[in-house]
Amino acid sequence: MCATRATSRGPLRVGILGQGRSGLSIHARWFEQSPRKYKIVAIADLLAERRQRAEKEFGCDSYRSIDDLLGRDDLDLVVNSLPSYLHPPATIAALSAGHNVVCEKPAAWNVAQLDKMIAAARKAKRILAPFQQSRYRALFRKTLDVIDSGVLGRIVQVRISANGFARRWDWQTVQEYKGGNLLNTGPHFVDWAVCLQGFKKPDEILCAMDRANTWGDAEDYVKVVLKKKGAPVIDLEISSCDAYPGDMITVQGTQGGLSGGGSGLRWRYFDPKKAPKQKLSRKPLPGPSYCSEKLAFTEKSWAPSKAQANAFGWMSKQFYDHLYKSLREGAKLEITPQQVRVQMAVMEECHRQSKLSKLPAKGWPQGNR
Ligand SMILES: NC(=O)c1ccc[n+]([C@@H]2O[C@H](COP(=O)([O-])OP(=O)(O)OC[C@H]3O[C@@H](n4cnc5c(N)ncnc54)[C@H](O)[C@@H]3O)[C@@H](O)[C@H]2O)c1
């Protein structure tokens, strides 16, 4: 589905919707570092000072209305980094106008919305690339490598914890704008979860949500357990009231385990062939005593390179280098909307199980257009 309009020479010409923490600080800043592949030619934002800054810094055109940006016919790519509640409508508008689109997370908030976006991409024969850059996070890639090597045996459980202690009062705390820890931080880690379960919808989903330290009406505590036959149990937390957060990822396997986070991973495992031979005893153990033996564990560790330690820069590079190949050479997307559909199904079910009361809707402060 990827007949693109990418111009054949020079960097890809990009329009960015939104110039906030994502549109400016992640996407524009990355394009600045990749001038041979990408060039910012237009941005849209409701705020005049953000438009003026972009014009000055990037030498690009700026628009108040996203429709005016989408009306251009010289763009190879549009990045949708608008507030989350605008992801489906603005992405569909961009695809329908004939643009390839990178859509920030959360791509949508339910499967039906995402399906409309996928259908719009198919109809327009354009690329829809969900920005799930954490799939490229070095610690996650290394974890997958260790799991795939088999040394940990069968993986029984993976615990993912994106916890901290933080108070928050911006739009990301408001349900009306599709805020809350699940839709905001969740896409990074639910993506890991469904990746670890082979991108298949879990058989069972259990979710608890709460509001702890937030000014808005959306959750800032989420606990999710995913069960899938033949895959590890996933135990996922995204809590803003954890004063003693543990490791970001912990893998439990039949022959060993792994644990760690952004600054590094460690893992240890034993070789069952070299372990002491034991056999089941139904009689009380002599003494009395407990089962006791010495397993010879092999210990390993990994630390990110300097480039990988700059997680946002590293992940953006992997994502956009690959997207460049898709847009220029027709390479298949590595992160597909179909994979993200499973994430959407999980989130939809979590919200169904844990409805929180809502504040009255007020619209976006600067208007929708
Ligand atoms: N992938 C990541 O790691 C990551 C990190 C941060 C944010 N995000 C995502 O990026 C999106 C934007 O979040 P943010 O933190 O940048 O928000 P932000 O509030 O910092 O920026 C949003 C910008 O959009 C502009 N805007 C709002 N409505 C508009 C409209 N109708 N037309 C034009 N401009 C409009 C605002 O004026 C603002 O400048 C969210 O969906 C968020 O989940 C992703």
Side-chain angles (χ1 to χ4, degrees), residues 121-288:
R122 198 166 287 141
K123 190 166 171 214
K125 297 192 169 55
R126 292 291 177 263
I127 284 180
L128 167 59
F131 191 64
Q132 294 282 160
Q133 86 276 36
S134 292
R135 186 90 62 82
Y136 293 112
R137 190 142 178 198
L139 81 93
F140 182 59
R141 289 297 167 125
K142 188 67 199 176
T143 299
L144 293 181
D145 285 350
V146 175
I147 289 175
D148 289 347
S149 76
V151 293
L152 304 182
R154 180 175 63 80
I155 307 304
V156 176
Q157 178 187 290
V158 180
R159 188 168 65 232
I160 302 169
S161 158
N163 291 357
F165 200 100
R167 308 193 320 158
R168 201 160 177 170
W169 47 88
D170 64 344
W171 68 260
Q172 280 284 19
T173 65
V174 178
Q175 292 185 52
E176 181 187 356
Y177 307 132
K178 303 300 172 197
N181 279 16
L182 185 64
L183 285 173
N184 180 19
T185 311
H188 300 293
F189 301 105
V190 178
D191 184 69
W192 287 8
V194 297
C195 178
L196 286 158
Q197 290 191 333
F199 295 110
K200 302 215 173 71
K201 192 176 169 201
D203 304 322
E204 286 178 60
I205 299 170
L206 178 77
C207 177
M209 293 189 187
D210 203 341
R211 289 185 286 236
N213 275 319
T214 175
W215 266 250
D217 58 357
E219 80 288 348
D220 63 351
Y221 167 89
V222 192
K223 174 89 180 178
V224 183
V225 178
L226 305 178
K227 273 173 70 182
K228 173 89 200 152
K229 194 162 182 275
V233 169
I234 304 291
D235 176 349
L236 167 63
E237 264 179 29
I238 310 164
S239 166
S240 300
C241 60
D242 184 353
Y244 294 102
D247 280 345
M248 182 172 266
I249 193 155
T250 303
V251 179
Q252 301 177 23
T254 52
Q255 289 169 207
L258 168 149
S259 204
S263 56
L265 298 170
R266 62 204 166 118
W267 61 103
R268 59 189 205 133
Y269 53 91
F270 78 100
D271 182 348
K273 287 194 213 98
K274 294 185 187 152
K277 300 277 170 270
Q278 307 289 1
K279 62 177 201 252
L280 178 67
S281 167
R282 292 177 190 264
K283 287 189 291 191
L285 292 183

Side-chain angles (χ1 to χ4, degrees), residues 17-23 26-27 44-47 50 64 66 81-87 104-106 131 133 171-172 183-184 188 312 364 366-369:
L17 308 178
Q19 276 296 282
R21 294 169 292 210
S22 158
I26 298 179
H27 298 275
D45 201 290
L46 291 174
L47 298 175
R50 295 189 179 189
R64 186 177 193 285
I66 61 172
S81 45
L82 294 168
S84 307
Y85 79 104
L86 289 171
H87 290 179
E104 259 293 0
K105 57 82 196 162
F131 191 64
Q133 86 276 36
W171 68 260
Q172 280 284 19
L183 285 173
N184 180 19
H188 300 293
F312 272 99
W364 189 258
Q366 287 87 32
N368 285 334
R369 281 282 193 266

